Structures are given as structure tokens and as C-alpha cells.
């Protein structure tokens, strides 16, 4: 690979405009195709084999109305003293609201609280559409299945609600499935904040406005193509709406980091005396190979989420992987072209807030004196630092024992959102359970008599406020019962209620009947999803850790280095899990990121976090250990190699990590709870990994292990293939003959060749 990358870098350096125009053409084409033929993102959380999915399938096959989506419009008089029981104006406007909402396209049914009130207060209250105090009314809108709808339906609902609010004496809010399926998280602000932070960090790291701008340009190209291409990918499989936001988060951080590694190595090569074209070619052949390896590892680990058997998680993994691959491609082909265009001006426009590049050592590797002193200090107190930092990480990890996987409800959204206001109004009027009804789908094709007894048994359960038969279709052989839990959708007690209905209540009623029943609805679906993730999480973690061990064994030809890396990766990720529990479940500092009240950890967040963090942490692991191994091979002195490797990479690693943390933190400040959790979790994991782990634990433990770090059984050494990652800057790529154009012949080029240090030719 080194030879191929060398040639790619040299070609890009010699024909920069060809590569730059090629990337521009691809960007224009993808953006244009996406605008004309892109598909809207869809959130489909059905997972084959789960009881809630069986409920949906049963209702769908029977073409039952309850198989579709439901949205709820909540209405209450603005006058705190008025009710629908005593205000003629309120009832009139309620009837008008029903008629307007019922006329919306694709609405196939709507409850009519005004008509029920006209029949009698008892009927209205018993129907569950008017609260007992008469203050709150619900208009439940029934839509067909998701496949027959699109974001226009949500826009129509919002427009109708806005129209009804004008001059009305009622407060009117809306929530429900349409918002969940089609409300796209706001984008743009977090990306801009992350880019702004990256600009400042790169200026400090490089001390040059020119060098700073190159990683930003590369990341923007990769992001533009990657994110817009996802709507085209949607024709192959459903891309969940949160996937582009996560892909932006990961892609932006990774793209800037990869470009940072390459620009740093290029500046080292120039400082060592290499001419620009040769420096670029060797940068791509060495640091570029590390980027390919790191990016490939990220992609493999993220695609590994398919092991969970959850379709929307697999789709999100594909989407994120596409963006990461484009960032790698931009780093090894577009960035060299840009480096060629700026030439030796890469260090120009020096700013006082940054630092000029350090002088290279004899090996051609830039070494920071400050980090070298830190490395000696850690190595000299290795036992203290190992014990202390391990205790700290275990303390941060301890809250994982209280990890509560589930899903948030609309009660955690900001009060500025209509969904949150509708949730609060419905909770005040009917109880929190009305926001997460359970739908019991019953196959009555062989026994239609079980419906009423089943509804009565469900209603008697202590976790259910009431149950109503909402649909019976003898011809289709399907009936549905709606049950209102006494607890909120995200409450652990609601999940226990679902489990109790499945394992105790329904089996008792159906014991002597051929009929079958399944508990569905959004609340049940997320409970099932949490259970599936719990079942698959540890096998997934085991597979990822095993893969990391094999890859690092192959690269560094050691047993203890990969084993230590796997353990330290688990500690950094465990710490991030612990912080999520402290912030979202225990509410420690939750208000700082806009979280209102305790929130269960979204079931698929730990799975997704592990895949992403594993891949990203491998970047830093490879970058640091490749330098340590390089010095060890040169000197045979493990202590000196650890200090020199740390001194040669610490500034780049900490700068890259700080960019990642800034990007992820910006996303954590957004409104969407899923993005909040993932942003905070990734920011914590990367911060811990790049500071406590890479800058303290790794050098401390490697100093304690000494030469045992590099022990490898002879039999294993003989069968392992040789893989070189991020080779020394001055070495010739494997397979490149001496006359392969490293220094073109000619008198003018002879003068240039004299600048290349001995050992670089």
C-alpha cells in the first residue's frame, strides 16, 4: 500500500488542478443529484422478531387503521378559569378545530371530543378525549402506515395548528408519531461552532493561517459530498433522520484530524529538507497509510453494528461509514493537491497566538521539548500514575452499574417545542401514561370471543389506568385494544407493565384459546429495542475488542501492547458511559447542556458510542505507538523510545483530540436528546482517551513493562505478515526502486537533491 500511496501523493502533487477540479466536479454532481432525486430520511424502529414488531405486522396485514401513525392535537382554554364544560366559545372552537384537522390530507380518522361533549359529559370523559376537570381535550388523528406518508404531512399538520391558533381562545399544541418520524433535528449551528473551534485550535497548533485552512477545506469537501449523498443512499435503504447529524459530527472531527496528521508530517518533512513534491509523496505514503488504516478501522467497527440485528442501526452505520470513507479519500488525494498549490507557503501568515514548527530531530521527527520532559516525569513516577489514573477511570466507570437503557419521551424536549407543551398539557389532564398508549393486537381469526375478556384483564393490571377496544374486524380476523399505562413512556415501571402483560396477563386469558396477542405501540417498541441491545451489546463489544487485539498484534508485533490497548480502550469508553449516567440519569450538571429531568440512556447509544470511539481511539493508539516502536527499533531502549514517541506525537494527538472534543461538545448543546447523548459521550471518551490514557497511562504502563512490551512468541512472529504503519519520514516506500522518480535527473534537480538528507534518498 505504501508504494501505491506514494504514487498517488506524487501524482496529486504534480497535477494539483486536475485533482482539485475533479473533487469540485464530484461535489457539484452529488449535490445536484441529491437536490433532484434525493429521498427523505425516515425513522423506522421496527426490528424483526420482536413482539412489538409482530403486533405491527399483524395489524398491517389486516390493513387495520391502528397499524398506521397517530398524532395528537391537545387543546385547552387560555383562560385559566374556563373549561370545555361551561364555555360555549371553547366548545365551538373545539368543534371547528376537529373539522379542520379531520380534513387534512391522509387523515383517515379523528376523535371528536366536541361531539362527545354534546352527548354528555360522562361519555366525553369515559372516551379519554376530555379530562375529568374539562380543561383539556384531545383530537387523535389517525394516519395510514409510514410508507404512505412523507414530511409534507407534518408540514400540513403544523400549518393547520398555526392557523387554528390565530385569534383563538384556546392554546393548541401537537405531538405524536408524525413529529417522531419526520421532524428533522436542526443542523448547521453545531457544525459552525465545531468549525470555529477547529480554526482556533489549528491556528495554535500550526501557528500559520495557511496550514490551518487546509484541514478545514478538506473537511468541508468531504462533508459536502458525504452528507448530501445520504439522501441518494436512501433509495437503497431507509436512512434514519439522526444519521446525517451523527455522520456530520464524526465526519467533521475525523476529516480535520486526518488532514491534521498529514499536514503535520508534511511540515516535518519540509523541516528535514525535503523538496515540496517529494515531501507530499512521502507524507501520503507514511502518514497517509496511517490515515487509511485508522479510517478503515473506524469503518469496520461502525459496520460491526450490523451484528446487533437492528435494521435502523445498520443503516445508520452505513451512512456514517460513507462519510468517514470520503474523509479518508479527501485526505489522501485532495489535501496533497492543496499542499502542492501552496508549496512552501504552507508555513506563511504566521500568527502570534500559534507556534512555528519545531526543528526536526536527526530521524526527521519533530520533537517537543515540553512533552519530552513530561514523558520523563511520567516514566519516572510510573507506578503512581498507573495506580492513580486507573483508580480515577474506574471511579468514572462505576455508575455504569446503574445504566438504564430505554428511550426518552417528549417530556425531555425544550419547552419551546410544541411537542413538549402538548405532552405537559396531556399529562396534566389525563396522566403521563396517555402520552405512550400500548396497542394490543389480537389475532381473532380462530376465536373472536377473547377480545372483551382480554381488554378487561388488561384494564385490571396495576400498571394500566384503562383499556378500550378500539377496533374489531372479524373479516380480517384482527382486533386491537388500546391500554393507557399509569406511568410515563420512559419510566422503567412502564417497561415492567409491558413485560407483565406479555408474560402473565395475556397468557392467562388466552390459555385455552387459539387466539394470539402481541403488545405494540411506540413505548413497547422501545422497550423491546432496549432488550435486543442488551442481548447483543456484549457479543458486539467482545468482537470489537478481539478485532482491535488482532490488528494491533499484526501492526506492532506484540502481545502485551494490544492487550493493554484493549483494556485501556474499555476504561476510556466505560468512563464515558459513567458520565452519561451521571448527567442524564442522575442529573449531575444536566442543566448545563439543557437537559430537564432524568432521562434513560437511549438504548442504542452505548452500541453506537463503542463502535465510533473504538475506531477513533485507534487513530491515537496507532499514531503514538508507531513512533514508540520506531524509536525502539532504532535504539533498543524501551524507556527512551516511550519518551521520544510521546514527545514526537503528543502535540498532534492533543490538538486532534481537542478538535474532536470541541466538535462533539457543540453537538451536545443542541436540542435533540439522541444527539446530546452521543455528543457528550463521544466528547468525554475522546477527552479521556487522548489525555488520561494516551498521555499518562500508556507511557506509564509501557515504562513499567519495559522490553516485555514487544514480546512476541517466535512461532507467531514467523506466521504473521509484515505490516508497516506510518513509517519514518525519511524512509523510501516499500517497493519503490531508487530510480522511480524520487529525484528526477537534471542539473536543476541535482541542486534540489542536495537538500535531501542522507538516508532520505
Amino acid at each position: 500500500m505504501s508504494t501505491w500511496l506514494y504514487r498517488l501523493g506524487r501524482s496529486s502533487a504534480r497535477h494539483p488542478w486536475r485533482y482539485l477540479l475533479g473533487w469540485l466536479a464530484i461535489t457539484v454532481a452529488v449535490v445536484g443529484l441529491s437536490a433532484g432525486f434525493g429521498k427523505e430520511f425516515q425513522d423506522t424502529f421496527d426490528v424483526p422478531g420482536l413482539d412489538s414488531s409482530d403486533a405491527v405486522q399483524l395489524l398491517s396485514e389486516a390493513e387495520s387503521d391502528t397499524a398506521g401513525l397517530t398524532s395528537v392535537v391537545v387543546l385547552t382554554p387560555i383562560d385559566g378559569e374556563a373549561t370545555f364544560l361551561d364555555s360555549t366559545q371553547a366548545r365551538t372552537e373545539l368543534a371547528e378545530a376537529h373539522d379542520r384537522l379531520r380534513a387534512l390530507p391522509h387523515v383517515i380518522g379523528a376523535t371528536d371530543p366536541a361531539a362527545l361533549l354534546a352527548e354528555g359529559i360522562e361519555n366525553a370523559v369515559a372516551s379519554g378525549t376530555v379530562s375529568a376537570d374539562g380543561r383539556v381535550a384531545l383530537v387523535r388523528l389517525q394516519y395510514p402506515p409510514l410508507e404512505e406518508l412523507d414530511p409534507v404531512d407534518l408540514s400540513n399538520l403544523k400549518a393547520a395548528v398555526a392557523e387554528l391558533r390565530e385569534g383563538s381562545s384556546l392554546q393548541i399544541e401537537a405531538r405524536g408519531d408524525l413529529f417522531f418520524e419526520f421532524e428533522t433535528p436542526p443542523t448547521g449551528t453545531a457544525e459552525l461552532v465545531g468549525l470555529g473551534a477547529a480554526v482556533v485550535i489549528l491556528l495554535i497548533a500550526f501557528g500559520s493561517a495557511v496550514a490551518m485552512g487546509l484541514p478545514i477545506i478538506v473537511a468541508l469537501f468531504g462533508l459536502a459530498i458525504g452528507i448530501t449523498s445520504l439522501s441518494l443512499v436512501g433509495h437503497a435503504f431507509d436512512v434514519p433522520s439522526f444519521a446525517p447529524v451523527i455522520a456530520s459530527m464524526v465526519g467533521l472531527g475525523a476529516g480535520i484530524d486526518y488532514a491534521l496528521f498529514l499536514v503535520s508530517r508534511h511540515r516535518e518533512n519540509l523541516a528535514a529538507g525535503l523538496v515540496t513534491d517529494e515531501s507530499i509523496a512521502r507524507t501520503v505514503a507514511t502518514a497517509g497509510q496511517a490515515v487509511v488504516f485508522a479510517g478503515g478501522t473506524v469503518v469496520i467497527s461502525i459496520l460491526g453494528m450490523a451484528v446487533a440485528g437492528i435494521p435502523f442501526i445498520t443503516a445508520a452505520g452505513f451512512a456514517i461509514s460513507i462519510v468517514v470513507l470520503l474523509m479518508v479519500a479527501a485526505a489522501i488525494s485532495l489535501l496533497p493537491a492543496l499542499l502542492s498549490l501552496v508549496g512552501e507557503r504552507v508555513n506563511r501568515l504566521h500568527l502570534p497566538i500559534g507556534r512555528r514548527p519545531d526543528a526536526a530531530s536527526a530521524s526527521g521527527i519533530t520533537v517537543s521539548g515540553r512533552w519530552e520532559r513530561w514523558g520523563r516525569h511520567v516514566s519516572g513516577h510510573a507506578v503512581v500514575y498507573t495506580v492513580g489514573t486507573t483508580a480515577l477511570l474506574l471511579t468514572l466507570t462505576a455508575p455504569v452499574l446503574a445504566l438504564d437503557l430505554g428511550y426518552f419521551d417528549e417530556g425531555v424536549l425544550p419547552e419551546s417545542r410544541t411537542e413538549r407543551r402538548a405532552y405537559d398539557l396531556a399529562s396534566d389532564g389525563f396522566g403521563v401514561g396517555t402520552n405512550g398508549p400500548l396497542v394490543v393486537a389480537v389475532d381473532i381469526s380462530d376465536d373472536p370471543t377473547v377480545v372483551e375478556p382480554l381488554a378487561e384483564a388488561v384494564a385490571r393490571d396495576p400498571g394500566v389506568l384503562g383499556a378500550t377496544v378500539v377496533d374489531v374486524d372479524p373479516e380480517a380476523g384482527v382486533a386491537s385494544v388500546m391500554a393507557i399505562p399509569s406511568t410515563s413512556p420512559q419510566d422503567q415501571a412502564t417497561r415492567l407493565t409491558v413485560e407483565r402483560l406479555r408474560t402473565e396477563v395475556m397468557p392467562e386469558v388466552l390459555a385455552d384459546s387459539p387466539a394470539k396477542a402481541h403488545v405494540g405501540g411506540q413505548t413497547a417498541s422501545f422497550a423491546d429495542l432496549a432488550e435486543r441491545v442488551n442481548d447483543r451489546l456484549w457479543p458486539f463489544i467482545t468482537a470489537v475488542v478481539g478485532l482491535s487485539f488482532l490488528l494491533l498484534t499484526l501492526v506492532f508485533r506484540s502481545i502485551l501492547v494490544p492487550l493493554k490497548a484493549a483494556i485501556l480502550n474499555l476504561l476510556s469508553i466505560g468512563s464515558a458511559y459513567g458520565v452519561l449516567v451521571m448527567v442524564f440519569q442522575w442529573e449531575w450538571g444536566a442543566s448545563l447542556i439543557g437537559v430537564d429531568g432524568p432521562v434513560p440512556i437511549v438504548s442504542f447509544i452505548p452500541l453506537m458510542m463503542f463502535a465510533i470511539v473504538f475506531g477513533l481511539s485507534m487513530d491515537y493508539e496507532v499514531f503514538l505507538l508507531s513512533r514508540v516502536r520506531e524509536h525502539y527499533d532504532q535504539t533498543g531502549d524501551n524507556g527512551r523510545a516511550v519518551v521520544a514517541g510521546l514527545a514526537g506525537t503528543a502535540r498532534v494527538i492533543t490538538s486532534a483530540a481537542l478538535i474532536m472534543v470541541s466538535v462533539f461538545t457543540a453537538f451536545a448543546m443542541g436540542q435533540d436528546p439522541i444527539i446530546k447523548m452521543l455528543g457528550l459521550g463521544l466528547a468525554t471518551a475522546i477527552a479521556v482517551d487522548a489525555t488520561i490514557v494516551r498521555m499518562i497511562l500508556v507511557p506509564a504502563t509501557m515504562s513499567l513493562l519495559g522490553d516485555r512490551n514487544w514480546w512476541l512468541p517466535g512461532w507467531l512472529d514467523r506466521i504473521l505478515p509484515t505490516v508497516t504503519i506510518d513509517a519514518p519520514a525519511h524512509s523510501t516506500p516499500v517497493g519503490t526502486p531508487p530510480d522511480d522518480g524520487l529525484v528526477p535527473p537534471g542539473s536543476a534537480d541535482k541542486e534540489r537533491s542536495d537538500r535531501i538528507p542522507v538516508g532520505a534518498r
Side-chain angles (χ1 to χ4, degrees), residues 265 268-274 282 286 359-367 626-635 640-641 644-645 647-648 726-732 757-760:
R265 176 53 67 93
E268 287 182 11
N269 289 344
L270 292 179
L274 289 177
R282 298 193 181 200
T286 53
S361 66
S363 64
I365 298 174
T366 302
V367 175
S626 61
R627 292 295 182 90
V628 174
R629 179 74 203 211
E630 178 183 327
H631 282 284
Y632 182 75
D633 290 341
Q634 292 175 355
T635 66
R640 288 175 57 190
D726 200 16
H730 59 273
S731 63
T732 301
V758 176

Side-chain angles (χ1 to χ4, degrees), residues 17 45-46 99 105 146 162 208 216 241 260 306 334 385 395 412 425 427 446 468 540-541 559 631 679 699 724 760:
W17 285 109
F45 287 80
D46 289 336
D99 294 342
L146 176 63
S208 161
I216 300 296
S241 63
L260 169 63
L334 174 61
Y385 277 109
T395 301
V412 306
L425 287 175
S427 298
D446 296 323
T468 306
F540 169 73
I541 289 176
I559 295 295
H631 282 284
T724 303

Side-chain angles (χ1 to χ4, degrees), residues 186-198 220 223 227 244-249 252 256 663 666-667:
T187 58
T189 303
E191 287 90 336
L192 291 176
V193 173
L195 279 173
L220 288 176
L223 207 59
I227 299 303
V245 184
I246 298 176
S248 295
M249 186 194 317
L252 187 61
I256 294 175
V663 170
F667 280 87

Side-chain angles (χ1 to χ4, degrees), residues 265-305:
R265 176 53 67 93
H266 175 59
R267 281 158 48 104
E268 287 182 11
N269 289 344
L270 292 179
L274 289 177
V275 294
T276 299
D277 287 2
E278 181 64 16
S279 171
I280 293 171
R282 298 193 181 200
T283 293
V284 177
T286 53
Q289 189 168 216
V291 165
V292 171
F293 177 83
T297 305
V298 172
V299 170
I300 291 172
S301 61
I302 291 176
L303 291 179
M305 292 190 295

Side-chain angles (χ1 to χ4, degrees), residues 182 198 201 383 551 626 756:
F182 299 119
I201 296 166
V383 174
L551 288 175
S626 61
I756 304 176

Side-chain angles (χ1 to χ4, degrees), residues 337-488:
L338 297 175
L339 288 172
S340 177
L341 290 174
V342 300
E344 295 185 357
R345 297 185 298 276
V346 69
N347 294 319
R348 296 285 179 85
L349 298 181
H350 175 70
L351 300 177
I353 64 172
R355 301 183 59 174
R356 296 182 185 277
D358 295 328
S361 66
S363 64
I365 298 174
T366 302
V367 175
S368 167
R370 183 179 301 172
W371 282 107
E372 187 173 11
R373 290 190 294 273
W374 171 252
R376 291 196 182 109
H377 172 73
V378 172
S379 297
H381 304 81
V383 174
V384 174
Y385 277 109
T386 299
V387 173
T389 52
T390 300
L392 173 61
L393 294 179
L394 289 175
T395 301
L396 290 174
T397 303
V400 170
L401 298 175
L403 181 66
D404 177 23
L405 293 183
Y407 202 81
F408 62 89
D409 55 36
E410 290 147 317
V412 306
L413 297 176
E415 292 183 359
S416 59
R417 298 272 291 268
T418 186
E419 306 102 290
R420 168 63 185 274
R421 296 192 296 270
Y423 179 97
D424 290 343
L425 287 175
S427 298
D428 293 341
F430 303 91
V432 291
T434 196
N435 292 296
L438 305 175
V439 178
V440 181
V442 191
D443 182 353
I444 60 172
S445 55
D446 296 323
D447 184 3
T449 66
V450 300
V451 179
E452 289 296 338
L454 183 61
E456 293 171 2
V458 170
R460 287 194 300 268
D461 185 87
V464 176
L465 289 179
T468 306
V469 178
V470 294
D471 184 40
V472 178
D473 188 343
E475 185 175 339
V478 170
S480 57
V481 177
M482 180 176 292
I484 305 299
S486 59
T487 48
S488 71

Side-chain angles (χ1 to χ4, degrees), residues 316-327:
F318 275 115
I320 298 168
S321 298
I322 288 171
V323 176
V324 173
L325 284 174
L326 283 166
M327 290 299 181

